[in-house]
Amino acid sequence: MSQFSTLDNYFTEKREEHLDELKQFLRIPSISSLSEHKEDMQKGANWLAESLTKAGLENVLVDKTKGHPVVYADWLHAEGKPTMLVYGHYDVQPVDPLNLWESEPFEPQVRDNKLYARGASDDKGQVFMHVKAIEALLQTEGTLPVNVKFLIEGEEEVGSPNLEEYLQEHKEKLAADVIVISDTGMQGPDQPAVCYGLRGLCGLQIDVKGAKGDLHSGLYGGGVQNSIHALVSILDSFRDAEGTILIEGFYENVRPLLEEERQAYVALDFDEEELKKEVGVEELFGEKGYSHLERVWTRPTLELNGIFGGFSGEGIKTVLPSEASAKITCRLVPDQEPDEIVAKLKAHIEKNKPTGITVTVTEFDKGKPFITPFDHPAIQAAGRSYEKVYNVPTAYTRGGGSIPIVAAFDEIFEIPVVLMGFGLSSENFHAPNEHFHLENFDQGLRVIGDYFYELAQISKEDLKK
């Protein structure tokens, strides 16, 4: 019997047992953002540590941080073979508004072959799959084809404020040849995807101040600067009518899109007409010369997220507002540096601010972009494992969003990062009625199990390329 068939039989035989265990994990309300759930966070970490121990992992540790604990485990007996570091998180988002849930968020239910619970898809279900893949290999083979380390944190949903420091302090213990993360999604139902890049992020708030207080527009209009007009003038200077960003030097470090990547995106046959219907617009928008996927995966952005100031109540109030503010964010691509982009934004604002006002700029969260070349052996090996199970070609994609800690892994360890997720964008993570399609739970277990064997065929030297 082949190794794959052995794993397949094991997962089939243990399916209900595994689902029951996952439900136990999901019943723990490990909400990292709410202080009243501090004990639940500890329970979640302890439960995971017990599960890792049961699976056959060694050196299992619930380790303290300045916030919620991280869980570490390893198995290091595959001499000369690569070491995989599996990262994930056991914390979950809050559940409100509770009245929109069709079942209790921490009482898992299976409906239409979907498992409903907070954390089912993001990220407890996907972390659990890696644990069970290890268990299956050790139970059926008595060994693993590669070395494995686990690092599962409890603060991803609040921005991982303590993880980067932990990575630096334990860099030697966490050393590996490849990092594998299952906290992303597939391209669609029965359309597996390996995500090989994510955009970075920087954000600002612009506060414009004019007169010391709101002024009567009849007495002062036309003679004193209006803060909202001034703010709009600044904001209008950021982009042209086609969406090209006008900040001096904004594009100078943007890594060009490879022709091989462009052809891979064309092969996805993305339906832009269907997207228009989905989001309710008549036309898409963006830089000329780029498809929608290229715009949202490989090009940087500058977007207004909110504008506020002046009178917005019913009727009209004839005033010159004293203050106006806007929040903006930029999505960044390799090789843009968040600090450099913020400095260029500030210089642009100072250069383009109208007379008669003062401007204050407040910086918000920053995260670097990340990319592992899509033809890297570790990425291609993941694609082969997906194809073996799903029997369709794997899509190689970038993500338009940002996961700052991924860039931190990339920068600190300088090893390939493989984002092989099994969720779907329709699964309501961060929203009421979060769920996980169990066909992807079943197939994902087999993909992960096979990936260990695929990775074992790659030399450590080739993984460094």
Side-chain angles (χ1 to χ4, degrees):
M1 185 179 293
S2 70
Q3 294 165 331
F4 187 84
S5 296
T6 301
L7 282 177
D8 183 67
N9 290 340
Y10 183 87
F11 290 131
T12 299
E13 178 185 335
K14 296 285 186 176
R15 201 231 190 203
E16 292 307 314
E17 180 181 327
H18 288 168
L19 274 182
D20 286 342
E21 289 183 38
L22 176 54
K23 289 176 182 178
Q24 294 174 23
F25 194 19
L26 294 171
R27 288 190 182 101
I28 302 171
S30 49
I31 304 173
S32 54
S33 62
L34 301 179
S35 59
E36 60 262 36
H37 288 282
K38 184 176 181 180
E39 290 186 9
D40 294 314
M41 292 300 302
Q42 188 68 50
K43 288 178 183 177
N46 292 343
W47 189 97
L48 183 59
E50 291 173 9
S51 183
L52 288 162
T53 301
K54 176 185 173 184
L57 276 295
E58 301 170 347
N59 301 310
V60 180
L61 174 68
V62 177
D63 211 357
K64 292 182 179 179
T65 72
K66 293 178 181 177
H68 300 303
V70 300
V71 182
Y72 173 85
D74 62 36
W75 188 96
L76 305 173
H77 303 293
E79 187 175 351
K81 292 296 184 179
T83 298
M84 175 197 299
L85 174 61
V86 178
Y87 163 82
H89 63 94
Y90 65 90
D91 64 322
V92 300
Q93 284 277 326
V95 298
D96 49 322
L98 189 60
N99 64 299
L100 296 182
W101 285 80
E102 295 178 13
S103 55
E104 292 294 322
F106 296 109
E107 283 299 329
Q109 286 190 12
V110 175
R111 302 193 298 271
D112 300 322
N113 205 34
K114 302 170 189 175
L115 178 60
Y116 285 81
R118 173 59 88 225
S121 180
D122 179 23
D123 182 37
K124 287 182 176 179
Q126 300 198 60
V127 166
F128 182 80
M129 290 159 63
H130 282 274
V131 178
K132 290 302 151 182
I134 296 285
E135 178 184 287
L137 288 164
L138 289 174
Q139 287 293 320
T140 58
E141 302 290 336
T143 188
L144 300 179
V146 295
N147 301 294
V148 179
K149 298 177 181 179
F150 274 77
L151 179 67
I152 313 299
E153 70 157 318
E155 297 184 317
E156 194 275 343
E157 298 292 7
V158 291
S160 303
N162 296 296
L163 188 62
E164 189 166 347
E165 180 180 348
Y166 186 89
L167 297 179
Q168 295 282 11
E169 291 177 354
H170 298 85
K171 185 176 179 179
E172 184 175 345
K173 181 174 78 170
L174 297 171
D177 300 293
V178 61
I179 299 169
V180 176
I181 302 173
S182 294
D183 193 16
T184 52
M186 307 206 306
Q187 185 66 10
D190 299 317
Q191 296 177 5
V194 180
C195 181
Y196 65 93
L198 296 167
R199 292 195 288 190
L201 178 72
C202 65
L204 298 175
Q205 178 168 316
I206 306 170
D207 294 303
V208 172
K209 173 71 174 175
K212 63 182 181 180
D214 291 353
L215 301 176
H216 190 291
S217 66
L219 296 177
Y220 297 97
V224 176
Q225 180 66 271
N226 182 315
S227 291
I228 292 181
H229 280 296
L231 176 63
V232 169
S233 177
I234 294 170
L235 301 181
D236 189 52
S237 73
F238 286 146
R239 301 194 322 188
D240 68 15
E242 295 176 344
T244 300
I245 297 164
L246 303 177
I247 310 297
E248 184 176 353
F250 189 87
Y251 293 106
E252 67 183 13
N253 292 323
V254 172
R255 186 181 302 187
L257 181 65
L258 298 175
E259 184 58 30
E260 294 89 342
E261 293 178 284
R262 177 164 283 169
Q263 292 305 316
Y265 302 163
V266 170
L268 295 176
D269 197 24
F270 182 80
D271 190 339
E272 294 193 359
E273 292 301 318
E274 185 61 33
L275 176 64
K276 293 177 189 178
K277 295 177 184 177
E278 179 183 332
V279 300
V281 297
E282 294 183 358
E283 296 294 336
L284 300 178
F285 174 82
E287 287 183 86
K288 279 191 173 181
Y290 298 93
S291 69
H292 175 75
L293 291 183
E294 291 167 354
R295 290 169 183 162
V296 300
W297 288 351
T298 74
R299 301 297 294 168
T301 67
L302 187 156
E303 297 291 349
L304 307 182
N305 308 123
I307 303 176
F308 41 101
F311 177 71
S312 59
E314 185 178 356
I316 193 167
K317 185 179 181 183
T318 54
V319 296
L320 301 183
S322 168
E323 300 177 354
S325 302
K327 295 180 186 290
I328 68 171
T329 51
C330 296
R331 297 289 178 172
L332 310 178
V333 298
D335 299 290
Q336 291 181 302
E337 289 287 335
D339 287 333
E340 292 180 8
I341 295 299
V342 167
K344 290 172 181 177
L345 285 168
K346 287 182 174 179
H348 180 91
I349 292 167
E350 183 64 27
K351 180 180 178 180
N352 288 273
K353 72 177 183 181
T355 59
I357 51 113
T358 58
V359 178
T360 303
V361 176
T362 303
E363 300 179 23
F364 290 128
D365 292 349
K366 300 173 189 172
K368 292 185 178 181
F370 141 79
I371 191 168
T372 294
F374 84 106
D375 59 354
H376 191 282
I379 297 286
Q380 293 296 312
R384 290 193 296 273
S385 292
Y386 273 119
E387 289 173 7
K388 186 179 295 184
V389 176
Y390 282 88
N391 294 311
V392 296
T394 299
Y396 296 94
T397 68
R398 294 202 211 178
S402 306
I403 308 178
I405 199 61
V406 174
F409 274 114
D410 183 43
E411 187 173 23
I412 293 170
F413 294 98
E414 297 182 321
I415 58 177
V417 180
V418 181
L419 300 173
M420 49 188 308
F422 301 92
L424 295 175
S425 60
S426 61
E427 290 179 336
N428 289 5
F429 32 82
H430 291 207
N433 301 309
E434 178 181 349
H435 57 278
F436 194 16
H437 285 69
L438 290 180
E439 60 264 31
N440 290 328
F441 173 78
D442 295 329
Q443 291 172 298
L445 286 166
R446 291 154 175 83
V447 172
I448 295 169
D450 185 75
Y451 185 55
F452 284 94
Y453 290 109
E454 286 284 353
L455 194 63
Q457 303 306 309
I458 306 172
S459 70
K460 297 172 72 171
E461 290 70 25
D462 284 341
L463 286 171
K464 293 177 182 178
K465 293 181 180 178

